[in-house]
């Protein structure tokens, strides 16, 4: 049910939780960063964590054309009517610049978590009633039922921590029309041991969440792959690591498998760990430009 108002977000975007820092003292830095990322040619900025519409607004105001999306907004944390009102206000001020990414989060993170598919359906019903177009939202869909819902009730799907194989399966389920914009996490590190250590630091939390582990098991990984921080096989499938050329090839594999857009999350390393990995974002942008900008 995508429509002509679905944002054109290009082939490559950036996914970052750091871009939604609520500290007012960092507002200027974030605005400057967003403007640079637009200039570098990224088509969309995906705000990680349970971001709300209000987190996208200042980045949209600081830029001129790049799409800013929530990646994702938890339906348990934000009321549908309030989300719709905020989205309408932002759309009126900056037409076509915002994409609402929605997700059901996880039982561990939301006390009210219950019957997530039914809850998402009710949330979409409320957005429809409030006038939010289906083409201005995407769902964080992993399993078959949520992918079908994304196909039928939104512009498409924004799966997180998935493999190339999942992307191919998702494209087959969505069909040719809907947007498929997977997140893909990369580490710009050529040493295998250090790269995998960095990846496992992030992966540890997600290994405790059944929505993700069940999805990996559906993809053919085993309980052994999920043990002890994740096997090399699992880590190497979920993360791209190496120099920028190797990482670019891994990113483009998702496009070859049927993705329309890849939301790239760069895991900060070294001095960048405490802030925004802007130098790595620049290096990545330079590598991606010949392939799609």
């Amino acid at each position: 049910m995508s429509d002509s108002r679905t944002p054109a977000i290009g082939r490559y975007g950036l996914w970052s939780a750091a871009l939604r820092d609520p500290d007012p003292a960092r507002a200027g830095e974030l605005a400057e960063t967003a403007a640079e990322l637009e200039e570098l040619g990224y088509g969309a900025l995906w705000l990680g964590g349970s971001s709300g519409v209000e987190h996208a607004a200042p980045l949209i105001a600081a830029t001129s054309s790049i799409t800013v999306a929530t990646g994702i907004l938890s339906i348990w944390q934000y009321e549908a009517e309030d989300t719709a009102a905020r989205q309408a206000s932002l759309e009126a001020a900056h037409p076509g610049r915002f994409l609402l990414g929605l997700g059901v989060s996880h039982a561990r993170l939301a006390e009210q978590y219950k019957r997530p598919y039914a809850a998402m359906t009710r949330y979409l019903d409320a957005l429809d009633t409030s006038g939010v177009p289906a083409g201005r939202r995407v769902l964080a869909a992993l399993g078959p039922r949520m992918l079908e819902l994304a196909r039928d009730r939104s512009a498409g799907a924004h799966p997180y921590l998935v493999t190339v194989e999942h992307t191919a399966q998702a494209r087959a389920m969505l069909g040719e029309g809907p947007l498929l914009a997977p997140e893909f996490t990369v580490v710009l590190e050529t040493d295998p041991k250090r790269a995998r250590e960095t990846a496992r630091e992030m992966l540890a939390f997600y290994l405790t969440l059944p929505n993700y582990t069940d999805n990996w098991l559906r993809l053919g990984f085993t309980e052994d792959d999920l043990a002890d921080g994740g096997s090399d096989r699992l880590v190497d499938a979920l993360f791209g690591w190496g120099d920028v050329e190797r990482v670019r090839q891994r990113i483009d594999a998702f496009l070859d498998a049927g993705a329309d857009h890849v939301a790239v999350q760069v895991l900060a390393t070294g001095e960048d760990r405490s802030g925004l990995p802007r130098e790595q974002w620049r290096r990545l942008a330079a590598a991606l430009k010949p392939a799609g900008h």
Side-chain angles (χ1 to χ4, degrees):
M1 194 180 290
S2 58
D3 61 29
S4 60
R5 290 163 292 182
T6 301
I9 58 175
R11 300 176 74 189
Y12 308 110
L14 276 182
W15 193 104
S16 172
L19 286 173
R20 56 149 289 183
D21 193 319
D23 183 356
R26 299 198 66 201
E29 179 189 10
L30 296 182
E32 175 191 308
T33 300
E36 181 187 11
L37 295 174
E38 178 178 68
E39 182 68 23
L40 287 172
Y42 291 107
L45 302 178
W46 298 81
L47 304 186
S50 183
S51 297
V53 181
E54 65 273 20
H55 298 115
L59 300 187
I60 289 175
T63 52
S64 60
S65 61
I66 197 169
T67 294
V68 181
T70 50
I72 51 78
L73 179 150
S74 168
I75 65 170
W76 312 106
Q77 188 172 343
Y78 297 90
E79 294 291 337
E81 291 77 11
D82 181 62
T83 295
R86 290 176 181 270
Q87 182 166 2
S89 177
L90 189 54
E91 178 66 18
H94 303 280
R97 300 284 311 284
F98 176 69
L99 182 60
L100 177 64
L102 299 168
V104 296
S105 189
H106 306 272
R108 176 177 169 180
L109 303 179
E111 290 183 8
Q112 62 272 58
Y113 189 94
K114 182 180 180 183
R115 299 184 64 208
Y117 180 87
M120 177 62 82
T121 300
R122 290 193 300 272
Y123 202 94
L124 295 175
D125 290 344
L127 292 180
D128 289 346
T129 300
S130 299
V132 176
R136 306 300 304 177
R137 64 198 188 211
V138 294
L139 305 188
L142 292 176
R145 293 186 73 203
M146 201 64 76
L147 282 166
E148 290 173 351
L149 192 64
R151 177 194 65 200
D152 297 339
R153 302 285 307 272
S154 80
H158 173 53
Y160 185 87
L161 264 182
V162 293
T163 64
V164 169
E165 291 74 20
H166 182 275
T167 294
Q169 294 173 17
R171 173 50 69 199
M173 188 164 295
L174 292 172
E176 288 304 310
L179 176 72
L180 179 54
E183 177 272 347
F184 182 51
T185 307
V186 304
V187 185
L188 294 178
E189 169 59 64
T190 57
D191 180 85
K193 184 175 185 292
R194 287 199 295 266
R196 290 182 179 129
E197 284 176 352
T198 299
R200 285 189 174 98
E201 287 177 12
M202 172 195 158
L203 186 61
F205 172 68
Y206 296 96
L207 285 167
T208 69
L209 301 176
N211 290 7
Y212 289 111
T213 56
D214 289 348
N215 189 52
W216 301 330
L217 293 172
R218 281 195 300 268
L219 289 167
F221 294 98
T222 68
E223 293 290 351
D224 286 343
D225 286 311
L226 307 184
D228 302 321
S231 67
D232 284 354
R233 183 171 85 106
L234 180 66
V235 169
D236 291 351
L238 295 175
F239 298 84
W241 56 266
D243 60 23
V244 289
E245 176 58 24
R246 178 177 175 179
V247 164
R248 184 191 66 79
Q249 292 172 2
R250 291 293 310 280
I251 293 168
D252 283 348
F254 283 82
L255 299 173
D256 293 340
D260 301 294
H261 172 96
V262 183
V264 184
Q265 179 176 186
V266 178
L267 287 190
T269 57
E271 294 180 358
D272 283 329
R273 281 180 180 270
S274 61
L276 301 165
R278 294 176 67 172
E279 179 56 36
Q280 294 181 64
W281 287 341
R282 294 176 190 129
R283 289 165 54 202
L284 184 62
L288 293 175
K289 278 184 180 178
H293 285 296

